[in-house]
Amino acid sequence: MRIIPESELIINADGSVFHLHIRPEQLAGKVILVGDPARVDTVASYFDSIECDISSREFHTITGSYQGKRITVVSHGIGTDNIDIVLTELDALVNIDLATRTVKETFTQLSLVRIGTSGGLQPFVPVGTYVAATKSVGFDGVIYFYKDNERIRELKFEEELIRQLDWKIDRLLPYVVSSDETLLNRICGADIVRGVTIACNGFYGPQGREVRLALADPLLNSKIEAFSYNGEQITNFEMESSSLAGLAAMMGHRAMTVCCIIAGRVAKNMNTDYKGSITGLIEKVLERI
């Protein structure tokens, strides 16, 4: 049996995982993920009781109870690289014996729902719409570092994406991963649009924003907006869904992302005062998770 070296999985002196600073008994099986550490307090304000409240860097964790359900809410900060940290450490908390540094014989599955904000790419997802990613397109490359990633990728969709977008970004190929269908059906009602979400490895150039530097493919966003395959269109941009869907699928966890559209990339409008909309989405996820 492989013993995981101390350098590969760092455990703090108090028995918590290195970045999140939480211990196995402090993690619930239902996990809500948010980007902003302050949004953890917003989610937890609905809890009937709170067990723990832990902050470490951009990672803020609160575990508590909501209407009889034990739930953990964790902030992951911005970007797919942070998702790699958070997913690996959450998985370690339930599937690795931290004392012996060995994988447990019995697998424990987590249900992970990311609540985020996003930019809309289609007229049918205007500002204020809630969009769940049935598929996530990764412009980030994170899951390519893990063996056998092909088994969880939508390879035909990837081929069509590269063809229709006339892909020109050198040395980076998009990947596509589906969200967990059971979790999607549980969270999504008629009040949440199902779409295809792109996760980018940046906010400006990777999402087609041109500030001072020229873009490698200035037509990429218009091609993304025109993309259609098997009746599916790309609905929105954000920055985390692909590595969440990909890593969770490889690890065996259920995961999905649902976002509130706060910017219309086609209409070029923006709602900077979106807290009311995001709390509405939080309430729906808490009721349904």
Side-chain angles (χ1 to χ4, degrees):
M1 183 176 291
R2 176 175 177 254
I3 298 175
I4 301 167
E6 292 182 15
S7 61
E8 307 301 283
L9 179 64
I10 304 167
I11 307 300
N12 299 313
D14 64 353
S16 63
V17 286
F18 184 59
H19 295 91
L20 300 184
H21 272 264
I22 61 175
R23 300 187 302 274
E25 68 272 17
Q26 295 172 318
L27 177 64
K30 299 178 187 291
V31 182
I32 294 175
L33 299 168
V34 296
D36 183 356
R39 197 171 294 155
V40 171
D41 291 313
T42 303
V43 176
S45 69
Y46 291 92
F47 287 0
D48 303 312
S49 62
I50 290 176
E51 297 176 24
C52 64
D53 186 337
I54 301 161
S55 291
S56 174
R57 307 185 192 185
E58 63 265 61
F59 309 113
H60 182 194
T61 302
I62 295 178
T63 295
S65 176
Y66 175 80
Q67 295 184 359
K69 295 181 285 191
R70 188 169 184 252
I71 299 172
T72 295
V73 54
V74 184
S75 64
H76 51 67
I78 297 174
T80 53
D81 51 343
N82 277 11
I83 295 295
D84 179 69
I85 292 171
V86 172
L87 256 291
T88 300
E89 294 193 1
L90 291 178
D91 178 72
L93 286 166
V94 293
N95 288 310
I96 293 174
D97 184 321
L98 302 186
T100 63
R101 296 183 165 275
T102 58
V103 176
K104 293 179 179 179
E105 291 185 5
T106 302
F107 172 74
T108 298
Q109 184 180 64
L110 298 172
S111 292
L112 305 132
V113 179
R114 174 176 129 69
I115 301 173
T117 55
S118 186
L121 293 166
Q122 301 294 341
F124 58 86
V125 288
V127 169
T129 306
Y130 301 143
V131 179
T134 58
K135 290 183 175 63
S136 292
V137 178
F139 282 6
D140 57 282
V142 166
I143 71 165
Y144 290 135
F145 288 88
Y146 293 94
K147 185 179 179 181
D148 297 330
N149 59 76
E150 296 89 351
R151 68 181 171 83
I152 54 90
R153 287 165 43 206
E154 303 285 341
L155 301 180
K156 293 294 185 182
F157 199 104
E158 290 177 4
E159 291 173 8
E160 190 63 20
L161 191 72
I162 290 166
R163 187 188 71 80
Q164 287 194 37
L165 301 188
D166 185 24
W167 191 254
K168 298 181 185 300
I169 310 301
D170 192 28
R171 297 181 176 86
L172 176 66
L173 289 176
Y175 63 88
V176 181
V177 183
S178 291
S179 296
D180 180 79
E181 188 172 356
T182 300
L183 202 51
L184 276 170
N185 291 336
R186 188 189 309 165
I187 299 297
C188 295
D191 49 2
I192 296 177
V193 174
R194 298 189 186 210
V196 178
T197 298
I198 292 179
C200 294
N201 55 1
F203 182 79
Y204 290 99
Q207 293 188 34
R209 291 182 171 95
E210 189 169 356
V211 181
R212 196 167 69 84
L213 298 178
L215 301 174
D217 185 359
L219 299 178
L220 181 57
N221 274 19
S222 61
K223 290 183 287 187
I224 288 170
E225 292 157 17
F227 176 85
S228 179
Y229 179 59
N230 287 343
E232 294 185 282
Q233 292 177 273
I234 296 170
T235 47
N236 57 312
F237 271 140
E238 51 88 79
M239 296 181 65
E240 290 86 19
S241 63
S242 58
S243 57
L244 171 61
L247 293 173
M250 284 191 282
M251 292 173 178
H253 301 299
R254 301 187 186 279
M256 64 167 288
T257 292
V258 59
C259 289
C260 175
I261 302 297
I262 64 168
R265 296 302 305 281
V266 180
K268 299 192 183 303
N269 59 341
M270 175 73 191
N271 176 20
T272 55
D273 186 20
Y274 55 82
K275 288 188 177 179
S277 295
I278 199 72
T279 53
L281 181 55
I282 288 168
E283 290 166 5
K284 292 179 189 299
V285 172
L286 282 170
E287 290 290 334
R288 300 168 185 177
I289 191 171

